[in-house]
Amino acid sequence: EKYKSKDIQVLINGAGFGALGEFNSIDVDREIDMINTNVVGAHVLTKLFLKDMLKRNRGYILNIASSAGYMPGSPYMATYYASKAYVLRLTESIYGELKKKNSHVYIGSLCPGPVDTNFNHVAGVQFGVKALTSKAVAKYAVKKMFKGTLTIVPGFTMKLCHVFGRFV
């Protein structure tokens, strides 16, 4: 509502967090907060901004999914992986709808692997893969967004995982 009267042309839909632990041991309220942030928040903001962008037939929405969104799941992060798969599949579905109506509105998803942010601390995780800098990921994502790329995967290692996963 606060931004409804503004001519928003780019939405980077990036709120999200994770939690590490066995599915049955993570506090359900924490998981509900995660689902509300990662899924409901992304869904609602996409819908609200997309409606206005469609009226103007222009605009960009970049939903931050994760490499977790296209992977088969991970022990100890079940809810996070599921939430990011939702964001990825929602984005792909909307992309298909926009393409069918020849819309000038773009939607895509950013699927990075580990990024050097506060995520690791909040989620309580450490990754074996070297994290990319947030600045490098952001620059790459914006460049690919303006080129119309549907799924943006920064970093050689994650690209390899993405391609190999699709091949398998």
Side-chain angles (χ1 to χ4, degrees), residues 62-166:
L62 182 61
N63 285 327
I64 311 302
S66 169
S67 58
Y70 59 82
M71 292 180 174
S74 171
Y76 310 111
M77 289 191 81
T79 303
Y80 177 76
Y81 272 64
S83 72
K84 291 305 182 172
Y86 180 92
V87 172
L88 181 60
R89 300 304 176 223
L90 175 71
T91 302
E92 290 171 340
S93 297
I94 296 167
Y95 178 89
E97 292 174 12
L98 295 174
K99 208 144 174 66
K100 277 191 182 262
K101 58 173 37 173
N102 295 315
S103 175
H104 292 283
V105 177
Y106 161 87
I107 191 165
S109 57
L110 174 61
C111 298
V115 180
D116 190 15
T117 66
N118 199 34
F119 175 89
N120 299 356
H121 175 70
V122 172
V125 297
Q126 292 181 344
F127 295 101
V129 177
K130 187 177 187 297
L132 300 172
T133 68
S134 54
K135 184 176 181 176
V137 171
K139 282 178 74 171
Y140 183 80
V142 169
K143 182 175 94 176
K144 290 293 192 175
M145 176 184 74
F146 286 130
K147 285 185 176 181
T149 305
L150 169 60
T151 305
I152 301 167
V153 183
F156 178 75
T157 303
M158 285 300 112
K159 274 191 187 81
L160 199 58
C161 289
H162 182 68
V163 169
F164 183 69
R166 294 182 92 182

Side-chain angles (χ1 to χ4, degrees), residues 51-69:
K51 283 183 179 192
D52 291 337
M53 289 177 181
L54 284 171
K55 287 178 193 168
R56 296 186 305 267
N57 197 28
R58 64 180 162 77
Y60 295 84
I61 298 173
L62 182 61
N63 285 327
I64 311 302
S66 169
S67 58

